């Protein structure tokens, strides 16, 4: 029975998921129970015992047949390999660059295992104790890439079980064998039994040449084009074969036509630098190098020889290019997170940060180096950058930002896992190296689990510790100012989004205030400077520090000697809604209606406001009539001292900053920006009756209306009073942070008052001139009376405005 492609994929996924953690490559010699191929001869048939786990058993196990050829034996794969390969090549990996990561990881596993077995004396005669290494060479003419390691190698049975069985987890079995034997652990990198087959992402034919480190092992060649069979050939008697000295494995990839870019050494170098720069064993790439060397200049020597001179001369030299080929080691950086923090110097931490994160001109503000042990093993180094990374300057949550680099046993896996740290720590940079992370089979997706949750909590706690240490540095307070200017907005997002850590973040917030207008202050400093018996923390929101200082709402608090925090960014108001209290002190928005102070009785305050409203009932009712639709109501207050009026919101209203933000959001989503919130956010106009402007308005209203307000009488001189009242509202709106809805009407009212003032000034000046003329005439007449015969008197002829002189 043949399965559909979808069913095959589901079965393959289930089987791969059952493998768990551990690499397929280079296991110890398998037992008979793990054999997965049944051999058939011409005369008899023997059947191996069923294995405990048959990966990718997509159909009934097909009987494998062995066909003797001239120089090798051909075997059939256990499963419908054509379909499985199609899944691995076209569905499992999203980026074929990872083939080099997978194959180098497998090679590093082989090297690590050889080192362990050499030290323990297992499966080795002790003759080959040289440090294993990995070499990579591209051949342009043959269109091949060769990856060779001097690791443990494989026997024939291991080739059959490791490369002939999809998803065979040889490394896992090796680790399990170590556990059963009670021996120590060994650093094996590879994980899943499909890593080897990533070679077919770029190659249409793969050849594996290997020699096991077991005594008297023969060199073997495994070849397959990812079809339904593979070939194993012994090469010991083949004179044309390239022998492997000692033990090891050589992978030869015959590249596809669309994968020839991997023949460039620079491409291989970039991939190794990205994925494998911290592999413990040396990784070298065959490349062409050009050096400039000095050699004797023969032409110059010949010219000198033609000259007649008996004095010896030094040979003249010239510089010529010299091209050489050879292997050059790529992974020179050391994974300092594997070392003890006491063994790493500050310069090494800095150099590693600048190298790993390509930040040559950035001096990190702080770092922390720690490890998790016990149930979860994890080693990590975290950094706080000294400056805002460029990609975050454009978008504070840029999806292309690479902040936390995830490694599994020093092999780079990914740097775009969203759940490794919360969004508000996007600016933190660092590395996390763990063997317990739940990766999917292609190692490209980090799955949610308890392990991830524990690592996440630890990274958050360590990040907060770094920030607290910077804030507590009293010797250099500028460091935290620098940090706050660059990353303060991320902490505000943390207050909004991270309820679990909100209480730890709030003490790290900084604000300007009425006491320290040019320096930041914290909640702790505010509390320390509180007045005696003060139980509330006062704040005001505004678009910038300058507007906050001029806010009439803040004036109500400053005039009584209380400090006011200035929340000057759009994010502040959203953030402060999550912080209703700090320690035992309630946070109070002074721009909201019903402001009460700790040193006065609420009932007495209410009674005083009622008396003021009754006393100035005429102007209050007039303002409510004229401003109908603009404000909820008008009330008199004695809290204002410098400003004539202020706009405040009700307890559940939005500040002007928030209203603008909501309006912009509404417009961005395709809605209308006009009257989007209706009358819900209409403010309350608080009026200072002691201010001269309000007193002038009150006299105008009383003069026009008497003791009552006639709503039908809006003609004549009442237009001046109406403009005066609306202008009072406009000024209060501007100083309180609101926008003028109709700038044309506002300009018209200003021009009207200016014109009225100019006219009155002109009339007043004319009266003064008339009085001066009358006075001058009196003086002139007196002078004429005294000396009328001795002088000529200048007079003005009204008929023709010409000055004439007459004699007395």
């Amino acid at each position: 029975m043949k399965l559909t492609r979808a069913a095959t994929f589901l079965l393959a996924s289930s089987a791969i998921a059952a493998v768990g953690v551990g690499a397929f490559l280079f296991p110890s010699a398998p037992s008979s129970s793990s054999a997965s191929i049944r051999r058939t001869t011409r005369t008899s048939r023997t059947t191996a015992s069923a294995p405990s786990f048959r990966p990718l058993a997509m159909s009934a196990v097909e009987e494998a047949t062995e066909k003797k050829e001239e120089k090798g034996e051909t075997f059939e794969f256990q499963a419908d390999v054509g379909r499985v390969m199609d899944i691995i090549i076209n569905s499992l990996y999203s980026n074929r660059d990872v083939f080099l990561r997978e194959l180098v990881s497998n090679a590093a596993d082989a090297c690590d295992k050889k080192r362990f077995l050499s030290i323990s004396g297992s499966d080795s005669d002790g003759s080959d104790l040289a440090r294993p290494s990995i070499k990579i060479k591209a051949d342009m003419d043959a269109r091949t890439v060769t990856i060779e390691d001097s690791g443990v190698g494989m026997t024939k049975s291991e080739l059959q079980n490791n490369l002939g069985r999809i998803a065979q987890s040889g490394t896992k079995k090796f680790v399990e064998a170590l556990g059963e034997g009670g021996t120590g652990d060994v650093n094996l990198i590879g994980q899943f039994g499909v890593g080897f087959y990533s070679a077919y992402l770029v190659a249409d034919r793969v050849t594996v040449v290997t020699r096991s480190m077991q005594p008297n092992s023969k060199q073997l060649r495994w070849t397959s084009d990812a079809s339904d069979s593979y070939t194993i050939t012994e090469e010991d008697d083949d004179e044309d074969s390239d022998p492997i000295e000692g033990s090891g494995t050589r992978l030869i990839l015959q590249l596809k036509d669309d994968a020839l870019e991997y023949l460039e050494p620079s491409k291989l170098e970039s991939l190794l630098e990205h994925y494998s720069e911290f592999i413990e064993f040396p990784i070298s790439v065959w490349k062409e190098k050009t050096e400039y060397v000095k050699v004797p200049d023969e032409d110059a020597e010949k010219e000198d020889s033609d000259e007649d001179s008996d004095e010896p001369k030094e040979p003249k030299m010239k510089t010529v290019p010299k091209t050489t080929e050879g292997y050059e080691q790529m992974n020179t950086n050391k994974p300092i997170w594997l070392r003890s923090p006491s063994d790493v110097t500050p310069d090494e931490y800095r150099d590693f940060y600048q190298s790993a994160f390509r930040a040559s001109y950035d001096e990190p503000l702080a770092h922390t180096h720690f490890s998790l042990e016990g149930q979860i093993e994890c080693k990590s180094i975290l950094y706080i950058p000294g400056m805002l990374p460029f990609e975050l300057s454009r978008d504070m949550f840029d999806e292309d930002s690479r902040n936390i680099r995830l490694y599994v046993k020093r092999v780079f896996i990914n740097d775009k896992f969203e759940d490794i740290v919360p969004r508000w720590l996007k600016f933190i940079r660092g590395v996390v190296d763990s063997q317990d992370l739940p990766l999917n089979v292609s190692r490209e997706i980090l799955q949610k689990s308890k392990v991830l949750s524990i690592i996440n909590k630890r990274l958050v706690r360590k990040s907060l510790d770094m920030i607290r240490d910077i804030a507590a540095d009293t010797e250099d307070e500028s460091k935290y100012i620098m940090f706050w200017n660059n990353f303060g907005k991320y902490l505000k997002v943390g207050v909004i989004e991270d309820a679990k850590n909100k209480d730890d973040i709030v003490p790290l917030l900084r604000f300007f205030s009425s006491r320290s207008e040019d320096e930041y202050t914290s909640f702790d400093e505010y509390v320390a400077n509180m007045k005696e018996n003060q139980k509330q923390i006062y704040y005001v929101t505004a678009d910038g520090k300058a507007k906050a200082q001029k806010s009439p709402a803040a004036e109500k608090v400053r005039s009584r000697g209380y400090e006011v925090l200035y929340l000057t960014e759009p994010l502040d108001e959203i953030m402060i809604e999550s912080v209703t209290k700090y320690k035992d002190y309630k946070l109070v928005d002074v721009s909201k209606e019903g402001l009460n102070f700790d040193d006065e009785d609420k009932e007495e305050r209410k009674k005083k406001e009622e008396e003021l409203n009754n006393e100035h009932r005429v102007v209050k009712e007039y303002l409510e009539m004229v401003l109908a639709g603009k404000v909820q109501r008008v009330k008199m207050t004695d809290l204002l001292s410098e400003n004539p009026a202020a706009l405040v919101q009700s307890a559940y209203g939005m500040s002007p900053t928030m209203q603008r933000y909501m309006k912009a959001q509404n417009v961005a989503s395709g809605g209308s920006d006009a009257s989007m919130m209706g009358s819900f956010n209409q403010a309350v106009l608080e009026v200072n009756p002691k201010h001269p402007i309000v007193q002038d308005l009150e006299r105008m209203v009383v003069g026009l209306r008497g003791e009552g307000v006639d709503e039908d009488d809006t003609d004549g001189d009442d237009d001046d009073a109406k403009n005066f009242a609306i202008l009072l509202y406009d000024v209060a709106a501007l100083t309180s942070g609101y926008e003028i809805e109709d700038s044309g009407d506002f300009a018209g009212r200003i021009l009207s008052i200016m014109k009225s003032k100019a006219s009155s000034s002109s009339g007043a000046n004319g009266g003064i001139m008339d009085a001066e003329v009358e006075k001058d005439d009196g003086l002139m007449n007196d002078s004429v009376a005294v000396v009328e015969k001795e002088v000529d008197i200048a007079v003005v002829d009204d008929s023709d405005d010409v000055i004439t002189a007459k004699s007395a």
Side-chain angles (χ1 to χ4, degrees):
M1 180 181 67
K2 293 185 178 180
L3 299 177
T4 64
R5 188 180 185 89
T8 302
F9 180 80
L10 291 175
L11 287 171
S13 301
S14 301
I16 291 174
V19 175
V21 177
F24 78 98
L25 205 50
F26 313 118
S28 56
S31 62
S32 60
S33 62
S34 65
S36 61
I37 297 179
R38 291 187 290 181
R39 303 189 59 187
T40 303
T41 64
R42 296 180 180 178
T43 58
S44 65
R45 174 178 296 176
T46 57
T47 304
S49 59
S52 59
F53 169 66
R54 294 180 181 272
L56 297 185
M58 294 174 286
S59 62
V61 178
E62 300 177 0
E63 293 185 356
T65 61
E66 178 186 291
K67 299 178 181 179
K68 298 228 174 178
E69 298 180 352
E70 292 182 0
K71 298 187 64 176
E73 299 172 300
T74 300
F75 301 85
E76 290 186 1
F77 284 104
Q78 173 187 344
D80 188 353
V81 175
R83 295 183 180 181
V84 176
M85 287 297 184
D86 181 64
I87 293 172
I88 294 174
I89 297 172
N90 298 317
S91 302
L92 194 60
Y93 294 98
S94 61
N95 180 9
R96 65 180 183 176
D97 283 350
V98 300
F99 87 92
L100 193 61
R101 179 193 71 185
E102 298 296 307
L103 299 182
V104 169
S105 298
N106 289 336
D109 275 352
C111 294
D112 215 355
K113 183 179 177 182
K114 179 178 182 178
R115 182 181 61 177
F116 178 81
L117 295 177
S118 298
I119 295 174
S120 64
S122 174
D123 293 337
S124 174
D125 57 5
S127 60
D128 186 6
L129 297 179
R131 186 187 183 193
S133 62
I134 303 169
K135 296 180 179 179
I136 302 173
K137 183 177 182 179
D139 189 330
M140 287 281 189
D141 297 330
R143 303 207 312 182
T144 60
V145 172
T146 301
I147 303 171
E148 182 172 356
D149 67 75
S150 55
V152 68
M154 288 181 284
T155 62
K156 183 176 180 179
S157 62
E158 289 171 341
L159 277 175
Q160 294 174 353
N161 283 279
N162 294 338
L163 307 189
R165 297 182 62 189
I166 309 295
Q168 171 70 8
S169 183
T171 297
K172 181 181 179 183
K173 289 186 176 182
F174 179 69
V175 174
E176 289 174 351
L178 291 178
E180 292 173 0
T183 56
D185 192 11
V186 60
N187 272 339
L188 296 177
I189 301 169
Q191 285 197 332
F192 300 97
V194 296
F196 166 77
Y197 302 99
S198 65
Y200 290 102
L201 292 170
V202 298
D204 50 21
R205 184 177 182 84
V206 176
T207 301
V208 180
V209 181
T210 183
R211 185 191 298 273
S212 174
M213 67 180 294
Q214 296 182 10
N216 302 320
S217 293
K218 297 181 179 180
Q219 182 167 310
L220 305 172
R221 178 182 292 265
W222 180 101
T223 305
S224 177
D225 57 0
S227 59
D228 59 351
S229 64
Y230 59 91
T231 300
I232 298 178
T233 306
E234 293 184 3
E235 289 195 331
D236 280 345
D237 298 330
D238 192 340
E239 297 179 356
D240 297 333
S241 63
D242 185 9
I244 295 177
E245 296 182 4
S247 64
T249 301
R250 181 187 304 135
L251 272 68
I252 304 172
L253 312 181
Q254 189 71 45
L255 297 185
K256 300 177 181 179
D257 292 337
D258 62 348
L260 300 182
E261 60 178 316
Y262 300 104
L263 294 174
E264 296 290 339
S266 58
K267 177 67 174 180
L268 298 175
E269 289 177 29
S270 65
L271 293 180
L272 290 172
E273 184 180 9
H274 186 63
Y275 290 110
S276 307
E277 64 176 328
F278 298 111
I279 294 292
E280 182 177 4
F281 302 99
I283 304 175
S284 302
V285 174
W286 182 272
K287 58 186 299 187
E288 185 180 272
K289 296 185 295 182
T290 300
E291 299 178 348
Y292 290 90
V293 297
K294 290 186 176 182
V295 297
D297 190 346
E298 296 179 356
D299 295 336
E301 291 180 356
K302 185 176 180 180
E303 292 178 359
D304 291 344
S305 63
D306 294 338
E307 299 178 1
D308 295 333
S309 176
D310 296 334
E311 297 180 2
K313 296 182 178 180
E314 294 183 1
K316 293 185 177 181
M317 308 295 287
K318 64 178 180 179
T319 302
V320 297
K322 181 180 180 181
T323 301
T324 59
E325 290 184 329
Y327 285 103
E328 180 178 340
Q329 185 175 344
M330 296 291 103
N331 55 334
T332 55
N333 287 338
K334 303 299 180 182
I336 64 173
W337 63 81
L338 299 180
R339 295 161 55 186
S340 171
S342 59
D343 297 335
V344 186
T345 65
D347 288 342
E348 287 178 312
Y349 282 119
R350 183 199 62 216
D351 294 343
F352 174 77
Y353 169 79
Q354 293 177 342
S355 173
F357 297 98
R358 311 297 184 265
S360 302
Y361 301 101
D362 187 13
E363 291 276 349
L365 286 175
H367 69 269
T368 180
H369 185 179
F370 62 94
S371 62
L372 289 175
E373 297 179 353
Q375 183 181 1
I376 296 174
E377 292 186 8
C378 171
K379 298 181 184 296
S380 178
I381 297 179
L382 300 180
Y383 292 90
I384 295 179
M387 62 179 67
L388 184 66
F390 174 73
E391 62 272 14
L392 297 181
S393 64
R394 298 171 297 176
D395 179 2
M396 67 181 294
F397 301 119
D398 184 15
E399 294 182 356
D400 295 329
S401 175
R402 309 294 203 264
N403 55 335
I404 302 296
R405 307 189 66 182
L406 177 64
Y407 292 82
V408 173
K409 293 294 184 177
R410 302 178 306 279
V411 176
F412 175 73
I413 302 300
N414 210 330
D415 53 9
K416 292 187 68 175
F417 291 128
E418 296 180 356
D419 297 327
I420 195 80
V421 291
R423 192 168 73 130
W424 64 273
L425 286 176
K426 190 77 170 179
F427 64 94
I428 294 290
R429 287 179 163 180
V431 298
V432 175
D433 190 352
S434 173
Q435 57 183 335
D436 300 310
L437 286 174
L439 301 170
N440 74 343
V441 69
S442 66
R443 296 198 271 184
E444 293 180 343
I445 301 175
L446 184 61
Q447 301 169 351
K448 292 186 178 181
S449 71
K450 183 180 179 181
V451 174
L452 177 60
S453 177
I454 294 174
I455 293 177
N456 178 288
K457 291 178 181 179
R458 189 62 180 269
L459 295 182
V460 171
R461 188 164 74 249
K462 286 295 184 179
S463 298
L464 286 171
D465 289 343
M466 280 194 295
I467 299 173
R468 277 192 286 262
D469 290 342
I470 298 175
D473 187 357
T474 57
E475 296 181 359
D476 189 1
E477 297 180 353
S478 63
K479 288 181 64 176
Y480 194 76
I481 294 175
M482 182 186 303
F483 167 82
W484 180 257
N485 290 334
N486 286 327
F487 310 112
K489 56 187 176 182
Y490 289 94
L491 298 189
K492 296 174 184 178
V493 173
V495 173
I496 299 170
E497 297 182 347
D498 195 344
K500 294 180 180 179
N501 296 291
K502 182 183 70 175
D503 293 339
D504 293 324
I505 302 173
V506 170
L508 300 171
L509 300 177
R510 296 293 184 268
F511 310 95
F512 292 112
S513 76
S514 57
R515 182 186 297 270
S516 57
E517 296 180 350
D518 296 327
E519 297 180 1
Y520 289 113
T521 187
S522 64
F523 280 119
D524 288 328
E525 291 171 338
Y526 183 99
V527 171
N529 295 326
M530 274 184 170
K531 293 178 63 176
E532 188 177 356
N533 299 323
Q534 182 180 345
K535 299 179 181 179
Q536 298 180 141
I537 298 175
Y538 301 104
Y539 70 89
V540 64
T541 60
D543 291 336
K545 183 174 64 173
K547 290 186 177 181
Q549 293 170 341
K550 297 178 181 178
S551 170
E555 175 201 318
K556 296 187 296 183
V557 182
R558 290 197 309 264
S559 62
R560 301 176 71 95
Y562 293 105
E563 184 178 7
V564 185
L565 296 178
Y566 297 154
L567 278 60
T568 58
E569 296 182 358
L571 191 60
D572 290 342
E573 188 168 356
I574 306 175
M575 177 269 299
I576 208 66
E577 291 179 357
S578 302
V579 189
T580 56
K581 290 186 65 178
Y582 181 73
K583 295 182 178 178
D584 296 329
Y585 304 100
K586 180 182 178 182
L587 270 67
V588 177
D589 186 353
V590 300
S591 63
K592 294 294 178 69
E593 184 187 14
L595 178 64
N596 291 299
F597 297 99
D598 299 322
D599 58 354
E600 65 179 0
D601 185 78
K602 292 184 179 180
E603 293 297 328
E604 183 178 348
R605 161 57 50 192
K606 184 177 180 181
K607 181 179 179 181
K608 184 181 296 185
E609 289 182 351
E610 289 178 353
E611 292 177 353
L612 286 173
N613 287 330
N614 289 330
E615 184 179 350
H616 302 278
R617 179 176 58 85
V618 175
V619 69
K620 174 181 177 297
E621 292 178 352
Y622 181 79
L623 286 170
E624 287 179 342
M625 178 194 71
V626 173
L627 301 177
K630 294 180 178 291
V631 298
Q632 288 184 0
R633 61 182 178 278
V634 178
K635 59 182 293 187
M636 298 294 163
T637 182
D638 61 348
L639 296 179
L640 294 172
S641 59
E642 299 176 1
N643 288 277
L647 284 178
V648 298
Q649 280 288 335
S650 61
Y652 301 102
M654 291 185 184
S655 72
T657 302
M658 183 57 65
Q659 289 186 36
R660 284 191 292 274
Y661 174 78
M662 295 295 292
K663 184 183 294 185
Q665 289 288 96
N666 192 45
V667 173
S669 61
S672 173
D673 63 340
S675 305
M676 55 168 284
M677 300 302 295
S679 61
F680 176 75
N681 280 302
Q682 289 182 358
V684 175
L685 181 65
E686 293 187 346
V687 180
N688 176 13
K690 295 182 179 180
H691 197 279
I693 293 177
V694 178
Q695 291 175 352
D696 284 346
L697 176 61
E698 187 171 20
R699 283 193 294 268
M700 293 172 64
V701 175
V702 170
L704 292 171
R705 312 293 182 188
E707 292 297 327
V709 178
D710 185 4
E711 297 184 5
D712 295 330
D713 185 8
T714 58
D715 299 329
D717 295 338
D718 193 29
D719 290 340
D720 293 337
K722 183 177 180 180
N723 287 335
F724 202 85
I726 297 176
L727 191 59
L728 177 67
Y729 164 82
D730 290 339
V731 173
L734 286 173
T735 55
S736 299
Y738 293 82
E739 294 180 347
I740 301 298
E741 296 179 0
D742 193 335
S743 58
D745 285 349
F746 175 71
R749 286 188 290 273
I750 294 293
L751 291 174
S752 177
I753 291 179
M754 293 173 65
K755 182 177 179 181
S756 176
K757 181 65 176 176
S759 298
S760 62
S761 298
S762 176
N765 289 337
I768 293 173
M769 291 176 64
D770 291 341
E772 290 178 349
V773 169
E774 292 178 357
K775 183 176 180 181
D776 291 341
D777 288 345
L779 292 175
M780 189 180 299
N781 291 332
D782 291 340
S783 300
V784 170
V786 175
V787 292
E788 61 181 35
K789 291 184 178 181
E790 298 181 9
V791 297
D792 292 334
I793 300 174
V795 297
V796 177
D797 190 341
D798 294 335
S799 61
D800 54 7
D801 294 333
V802 177
I803 298 177
T804 61
K806 295 183 179 179
S807 175

